[in-house]
């Protein structure tokens, strides 16, 4: 518009707002507040700076009567600020590696070049150029249009992906709901199965317990059957109660009575069990009496599980305290029952899981005691049923503290204080095993020495009852004690459980088979695990036989008998015979242990005083260990073994040399020729001279 500058400036005035819109486009297109938040703030400030520049531009344009020479200084000033700002912005944008940023970089470069040439035209550096601001804008718009198309395509893909994820999430939700329904159905089936199975268990158990009472005599056997039947009945009842609690079929039947005396009686019922293990069990109450509503049977189950666990996992000379008091929490009164022990403790990471059904802290074969993982799960269910709660604090190696809270209520009008005393004697399912005598002294009998390594007292008592007539029995109650006892007494045979504290049966077997003092001892492993893999595991560690619990009495007797007979065959096989020619190593098929002893005896032919103690010192074994090991392998005593080696050397000298009888006697370690002749005659039924000329 050369003839009417007013119209020309109508276009010229929109230059600064055009740059403002450009900045707004960059921020929106790039999502700059997320991609580059600091630069987003800078461009935002520069955007708002365009408003006063535009106002000033309009005012100056009007006042200068639309003079190009004056009014253009305003947009040029804005552009002078704008140009370096965009220049510095492009490099950090490039470093983001954002694909959309590359469209902005290329388009902006086109705009900047156009601005640069437009400034040169304005400064009259040259009259005309092919690239000015308008061409830069056109190229920039073209590139930005391609970028917008790219962004729209990406948005379509993102929407499709989001829709796909939504459908996928919905499908997963449907599957989860179906799985939840299936699990609920399976849980109901399992609960019914538990109920049916446990009811079926009760029938034969009733017969066993009833017939046991009809048996006359056999007091020890009857007590063993009765005690284990009650324990089995308790486990069955726990399964039934757990199933009922989870299906909301277990009812709370409360009485109103003194819970302090009831808890005290329950505690005293465990005194014998704690005393047998060398544990000090103490009951301490801050309330002399506390009358409240409670379910005796449920409280009894809770208390039994917590206190029996405390005794099970507390070492000898440990302490257990049962503390009782009344407390107020959130304006409600509770009885607080704390059972604190100095046992092995529970690792912190497993504490959240100890109330899960069938969860056991230690599933290894060296775990302490036996268990099913039902007890604490039942405790939690019963407490929830009675609106109570339980807390647990434990430190590994220091002990565990269980704290039970039961609400104190007195809603039952008819008091039944006598019911506690009646039910105490009838319902408490506490069956305390009598500790078998751990008599490890070797009796003067001809029976083989049997070492039993087992932590279950009733199993020990049962095994003793069927084997004590034919074996001299020693007992160890964990794997490490069993290893120590085996090395000490060198038994004829070992019967070991697999799952025991400290060291399991596999470790016992491995240790004893690798020790020269005990490597010859047959070992039978007992385990409740009956899979082929478990049997292979035991055989891999050198076990001679493997029996699965519950084992058959006759099978155990046959296994022990056969292994004992194998040892007798070894006696005959490796015993030195007169017709065997003398050599430094003895018989080719001799055992390494006897070969070692032979070598030692040969090295001491010149010492007539070399005896059993010297033999043991040379192989770092006690006299008894040498005696037991050599007797087991060859049926010879150490003294007779030494004489046998000396005599075999003498037979060689008699046949292959012209040495006199006296010289041969002295050279093979005999004190006098007469003693040599007498011993030779006893062994070979002829004199040395007769043997030489035979």
């Amino acid at each position: 518009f050369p003839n009417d500058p007013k119209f020309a400036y109508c276009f010229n005035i929109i230059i600064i707002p055009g740059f403002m819109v450009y900045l707004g486009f960059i921020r929106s297109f790039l999502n700059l507040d997320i991609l580059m938040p600091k630069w987003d703030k800078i461009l935002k400030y520069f955007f708002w700076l365009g408003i006063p520049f535009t106002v000033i531009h309009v005012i100056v344009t009007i006042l200068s009567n639309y003079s190009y020479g004056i009014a253009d200084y305003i947009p040029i000033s804005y552009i002078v600020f704008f140009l370096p700002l965009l220049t510095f912005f492009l490099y950090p944008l490039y470093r983001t590696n954002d694909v959309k940023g590359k469209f902005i970089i290329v388009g902006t470069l086109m705009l900047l070049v156009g601005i640069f040439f437009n400034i040169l035209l304005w400064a009259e550096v040259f009259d005309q150029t092919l690239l000015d601001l308008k061409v830069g804008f056109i190229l920039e718009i073209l590139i930005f249009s391609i970028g917008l198309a790219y962004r729209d395509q990406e948005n379509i893909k993102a929407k499709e992906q989001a829709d796909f994820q939504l459908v996928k999430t919905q499908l997963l939700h449907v599957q989860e709901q179906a799985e939840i329904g299936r699990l609920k159905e399976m849980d109901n089936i399992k609960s019914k199965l538990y109920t049916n199975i446990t009811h079926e268990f009760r029938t034969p158990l009733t017969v066993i317990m009833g017939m046991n009472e009809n048996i006359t005599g056999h007091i020890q056997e009857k007590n063993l059957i009765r005690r284990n039947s009650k324990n089995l009945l308790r486990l069955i009842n726990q399964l039934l109660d757990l199933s009922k609690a989870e299906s909301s079929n277990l009812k709370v039947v409360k009485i109103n009575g003194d819970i302090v005396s009831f808890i005290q009686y329950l505690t005293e019922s465990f005194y014998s069990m704690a005393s047998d293990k060398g544990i000090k069990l103490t009951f301490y109450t801050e309330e002399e009496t506390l009358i409240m509503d409670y379910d005796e049977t449920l409280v009894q189950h809770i208390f039994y599980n917590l206190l029996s666990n405390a005794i099970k996992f507390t070492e000898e000379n440990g302490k257990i305290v049962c503390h009782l008091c009344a407390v107020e929490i959130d304006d409600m009164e509770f009885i607080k029952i704390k059972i604190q022990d100095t046992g092995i403790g529970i690792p912190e990471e497993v504490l959240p899981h100890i109330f899960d059904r069938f969860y056991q802290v230690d599933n290894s074969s060296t775990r302490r005691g036996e268990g099913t993982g039902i007890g604490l799960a039942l405790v939690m269910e019963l407490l929830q049923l009675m609106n109570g709660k339980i807390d647990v604090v434990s430190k590994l190696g220091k002990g565990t503290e269980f704290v039970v809270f039961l609400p104190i209520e007195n809603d039952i009008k008819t008091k039944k204080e006598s019911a506690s005393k009646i039910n105490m004697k009838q319902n408490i399912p506490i069956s305390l095993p009598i500790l078998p005598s751990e008599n490890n002294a070797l009796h003067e009998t001809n029976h083989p020495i049997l070492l039993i390594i087992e932590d279950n007292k009733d199993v020990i008592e049962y095994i003793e009852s069927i084997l004590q007539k034919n074996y001299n029995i020693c007992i160890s109650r964990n794997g490490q004690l069993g290893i120590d006892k085996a090395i000490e007494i060198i038994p004829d045979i070992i019967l070991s459980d697999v799952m025991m504290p400290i060291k399991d049966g596999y470790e016992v077997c491995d240790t004893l088979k690798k020790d020269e003092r005990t490597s010859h001892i047959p070992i039978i492993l007992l385990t409740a695990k009956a899979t082929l893999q478990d049997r292979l595991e035991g055989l891999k560690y050198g076990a001679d036989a493997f029996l699965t619990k519950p084992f058959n009495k006759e099978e155990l007797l046959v296994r022990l008998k056969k292994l004992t007979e194998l040892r007798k065959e070894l006696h005959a096989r490796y015993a030195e015979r007169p017709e065997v020619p003398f050599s430094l190593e003895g018989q080719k098929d001799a055992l390494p242990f006897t070969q070692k002893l032979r070598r030692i005896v040969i090295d001491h032919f010149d010492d007539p005083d070399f005896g059993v103690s010297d033999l043991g010192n040379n192989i770092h074994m006690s006299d008894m260990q040498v005696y037991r090991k050599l007797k087991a392998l060859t049926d010879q005593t150490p003294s007779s073994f030494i004489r046998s080696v000396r005599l075999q050397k003498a037979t060689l000298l008699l046949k292959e040399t012209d040495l006199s009888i006296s010289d041969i006697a002295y050279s093979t370690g005999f004190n006098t020729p007469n003693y040599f002749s007498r011993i030779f005659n006893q062994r070979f039924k002829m004199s040395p001279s007769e043997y030489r000329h035979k």
Side-chain angles (χ1 to χ4, degrees):
F1 307 95
N3 298 322
D4 196 341
K6 292 181 181 180
F7 289 104
Y9 268 95
C10 286
F11 173 78
N12 201 27
I13 286 174
I14 69 169
I15 293 176
I16 294 177
F19 282 114
M20 292 170 61
V21 173
Y22 170 79
L23 291 176
F25 171 78
I26 290 178
R27 293 176 58 218
S28 173
F29 181 76
L30 295 176
N31 293 322
L32 204 61
D33 57 336
I34 298 174
L35 183 65
M36 302 170 67
K38 291 183 178 179
W39 273 99
D40 181 65
K41 290 182 179 180
I42 295 173
L43 296 187
K44 182 179 179 182
Y45 293 146
F46 200 81
F47 172 87
W48 293 112
L49 186 63
I51 295 176
F53 266 85
T54 302
V55 173
I56 295 171
H57 187 200
V58 172
I59 295 172
V60 171
T61 299
I62 295 172
L63 293 177
S64 65
N65 195 25
Y66 304 100
S67 170
Y68 284 102
I70 298 174
D72 277 355
Y73 278 104
I74 305 304
I76 292 298
S77 300
Y78 187 82
I79 292 172
V80 167
F81 284 112
F82 189 80
L83 188 65
L85 177 69
L86 285 186
T87 304
F88 287 122
F89 168 68
L90 295 181
Y91 178 69
L93 177 60
Y94 170 77
R95 294 195 61 181
T96 63
N97 289 323
D98 185 74
V99 177
K100 292 184 294 182
K102 291 180 171 58
F103 289 100
I104 295 295
I105 292 171
V106 176
T108 302
L109 286 176
M110 295 296 101
L111 178 63
L112 291 176
V113 172
I115 293 173
F116 176 73
F117 279 99
N118 220 68
I119 292 175
L120 294 180
L121 284 172
W122 179 81
E124 297 180 351
V125 175
F126 43 77
D127 295 334
Q128 60 182 3
T129 177
L130 294 175
L131 186 60
D132 60 6
L133 183 60
K134 295 185 289 296
V135 177
F137 269 128
I138 292 171
L139 292 174
E140 174 212 30
I141 291 171
L142 178 62
I143 294 169
F144 283 2
S145 298
I146 299 172
L148 285 169
Y150 170 80
R151 189 188 67 173
D152 289 344
Q153 193 67 26
E154 290 296 306
N155 288 340
I156 292 172
K157 291 180 180 178
K159 186 176 183 305
E160 291 176 348
Q161 183 67 23
D163 292 342
F164 173 76
Q165 289 296 333
L166 178 61
V167 173
K168 184 179 178 181
T169 303
Q170 291 174 343
L171 287 174
L172 288 174
H173 180 69
V174 172
Q175 290 176 350
E176 287 176 0
Q177 292 299 318
E179 182 67 14
I180 290 172
R182 189 181 68 84
L183 290 175
K184 285 183 178 179
E185 184 179 354
M186 286 183 63
D187 197 52
N188 290 333
I189 293 173
K190 285 191 293 184
S191 296
K192 291 179 181 178
L193 180 64
Y194 292 147
T195 303
N196 293 338
I197 290 178
T198 48
H199 276 299
E200 290 300 320
F201 282 162
R202 293 172 71 92
T203 301
L205 190 58
T206 302
V207 176
I208 292 172
M209 296 177 70
M211 293 303 296
N212 182 61
E213 298 303 322
N214 292 336
I215 298 174
T216 57
H218 304 283
I219 303 300
Q220 182 181 0
E221 290 82 355
K222 286 177 63 177
N223 288 336
L224 191 62
I225 294 172
R226 184 186 303 112
R227 182 164 60 249
N228 282 274
S229 297
K230 287 183 178 180
N231 286 336
L232 182 56
L233 181 60
R234 178 179 56 81
L235 290 174
I236 291 171
N237 289 335
Q238 283 188 347
L239 275 172
L240 277 172
D241 290 342
L242 186 60
S243 177
K244 289 179 181 179
E246 290 185 341
S247 59
S248 302
N249 290 326
L250 185 62
K251 304 301 180 183
V252 179
V253 182
K254 293 183 178 180
I255 63 157
N256 185 267
D258 181 15
I259 195 171
V260 174
S261 61
F262 184 65
I263 297 297
Q264 182 176 3
Y265 180 83
L266 291 177
T267 306
E268 291 173 353
S269 300
F270 283 87
Y271 280 174
S272 177
M273 181 187 291
S275 177
D276 286 339
K277 199 174 176 183
I279 297 171
K280 183 180 180 181
L281 175 58
T282 304
F283 175 79
Y284 172 64
T285 177
E286 298 181 23
E287 313 294 333
E288 186 174 346
T289 59
L290 183 54
I291 305 299
M292 60 176 283
D293 301 338
Y294 66 95
D295 187 310
E296 286 185 316
T297 302
L298 302 190
V299 171
Q300 176 184 305
H301 284 325
I302 292 169
F303 198 81
Y304 177 89
N305 280 293
L306 295 180
L307 200 49
S308 61
N309 279 348
I311 293 175
K312 184 190 300 183
F313 297 110
T314 300
E315 299 285 358
E316 188 177 354
N317 300 321
K319 296 180 181 179
I320 299 174
V321 176
C322 177
H323 175 246
L324 188 150
C325 65
V327 297
E328 186 173 320
I329 303 174
D330 296 332
D331 299 326
M332 289 185 62
E333 287 189 315
F334 290 85
I335 180 173
K336 177 182 175 183
I337 306 169
K338 180 171 66 176
I339 298 176
Q340 185 177 22
D341 64 61
T342 59
I344 60 176
I346 305 171
E348 184 178 354
E349 63 271 13
V350 304
L351 278 175
H353 307 290
I354 62 174
F355 295 104
D356 296 344
R357 188 197 289 187
F358 305 128
Y359 181 84
Q360 290 181 311
V361 175
D362 185 2
N363 279 318
S364 69
S365 55
T366 56
R367 71 185 189 197
R368 298 173 183 268
E370 300 172 339
T372 59
I374 299 173
L376 290 180
L378 179 62
V379 167
M380 178 62 77
E381 292 288 343
L382 297 181
L383 283 172
Q384 290 176 352
L385 201 61
M386 294 187 290
N387 299 317
K389 65 175 184 176
I390 185 170
D391 294 330
V392 57
V393 178
S394 186
K395 190 171 183 181
L396 203 59
K398 298 294 184 180
T400 303
E401 177 181 291
F402 284 94
V403 183
V404 173
F405 296 90
L406 288 173
I408 299 176
E409 300 172 343
N410 283 282
D411 298 329
I412 301 176
K413 294 182 180 180
T414 305
K415 295 180 181 271
K416 297 181 180 180
E417 297 180 19
S418 60
S420 296
K421 298 178 181 178
I422 296 172
N423 289 335
M424 282 179 194
K425 296 182 179 180
Q426 293 179 352
N427 294 334
I428 297 177
I430 299 175
S431 185
L432 304 177
I434 301 171
L435 291 174
S437 174
E438 190 166 341
N439 183 9
N440 287 328
L442 297 180
H443 303 293
E444 294 297 329
T445 68
N446 293 324
H447 297 321
I449 299 174
L450 170 64
L451 173 60
I452 301 174
I453 309 175
E454 168 67 63
D455 61 325
N456 187 291
K457 303 173 182 63
D458 286 340
V459 174
I460 293 174
E461 186 175 345
Y462 171 63
I463 294 174
E464 272 193 306
S465 69
I466 61 177
L467 298 179
Q468 59 188 356
K469 293 181 180 180
N470 300 314
Y471 294 90
N472 194 358
I473 296 176
C474 295
I475 298 168
S476 292
R477 293 200 180 94
N478 67 55
Q480 185 58 58
L481 292 177
I483 292 172
D484 297 339
K485 180 59 64 175
I487 293 174
E488 177 188 346
I489 66 172
I490 315 295
D492 294 293
I493 195 165
I494 295 174
L495 189 62
S496 173
D497 190 18
V498 169
M499 297 187 68
M500 293 181 296
I502 306 178
K503 286 186 180 294
D504 62 24
Y506 297 141
E507 292 176 288
V508 169
C509 193
D510 187 52
T511 302
L512 295 181
K513 289 297 184 179
K514 289 179 178 178
D515 194 306
E516 187 176 51
R517 295 167 291 184
T518 55
S519 59
H520 67 285
I521 303 174
I523 300 177
I524 299 177
L525 292 181
L526 295 175
T527 182
K529 297 181 177 181
T531 65
L532 176 61
Q533 184 62 36
D534 296 316
R535 290 177 176 270
L536 293 176
E537 187 77 9
L539 296 174
K540 183 176 71 175
Y541 286 107
D544 296 86
F546 204 97
L547 292 181
T548 304
K549 294 179 181 178
F551 55 84
N552 182 275
K553 170 185 173 181
E554 296 301 325
E555 183 181 4
L556 176 61
L557 291 171
V558 170
R559 291 279 189 179
L560 291 170
K561 181 180 178 182
K562 288 298 180 183
L563 287 174
T564 305
E565 289 176 354
L566 282 175
R567 288 301 158 190
K568 291 180 179 179
E569 291 177 8
L570 281 176
H571 297 164
R573 180 179 179 185
Y574 294 109
E576 300 293 349
R577 298 183 292 273
E579 63 272 13
V580 176
F582 179 83
S583 69
L584 293 179
E585 301 300 332
Q587 296 172 232
K588 292 182 179 180
D589 58 347
L591 295 171
F593 182 74
T594 58
Q595 292 175 345
K596 181 185 292 187
L597 294 184
R598 176 184 294 277
R599 179 73 264 178
I600 293 170
V601 174
I602 292 171
D603 291 342
H604 292 83
F605 271 161
D606 57 347
D607 182 4
D609 297 324
F610 184 82
V612 178
S613 297
D614 301 303
L615 189 63
N617 291 336
N618 274 270
I619 57 173
H620 309 291
M621 292 171 65
S622 68
D623 293 358
M624 192 275 291
Q625 289 172 335
V626 175
Y627 175 85
R628 296 285 306 150
K629 174 106 181 174
L630 196 57
K631 188 74 174 173
L633 293 176
T634 66
D635 201 29
Q636 287 183 297
T637 65
S639 298
S640 64
F641 179 82
I642 293 172
R643 286 197 302 270
S644 175
V645 176
R646 294 182 188 276
L647 288 172
Q648 284 206 339
K649 176 64 174 179
T651 60
L652 180 66
L653 296 176
L654 286 170
K655 290 290 187 180
E656 298 183 359
T657 70
D658 295 328
L659 293 174
S660 65
I661 302 297
S662 297
D663 290 339
I664 291 175
Y666 291 126
S667 65
T668 53
F670 290 95
N671 285 316
T672 64
N674 288 336
Y675 178 68
F676 166 67
S677 297
R678 186 170 71 254
I679 296 299
F680 193 95
N681 196 10
Q682 290 175 358
R683 175 67 185 273
F684 300 106
K685 307 303 179 186
M686 63 183 73
S687 67
S689 299
E690 292 172 337
Y691 185 87
R692 168 172 278 177
H693 297 98
K694 183 178 71 170

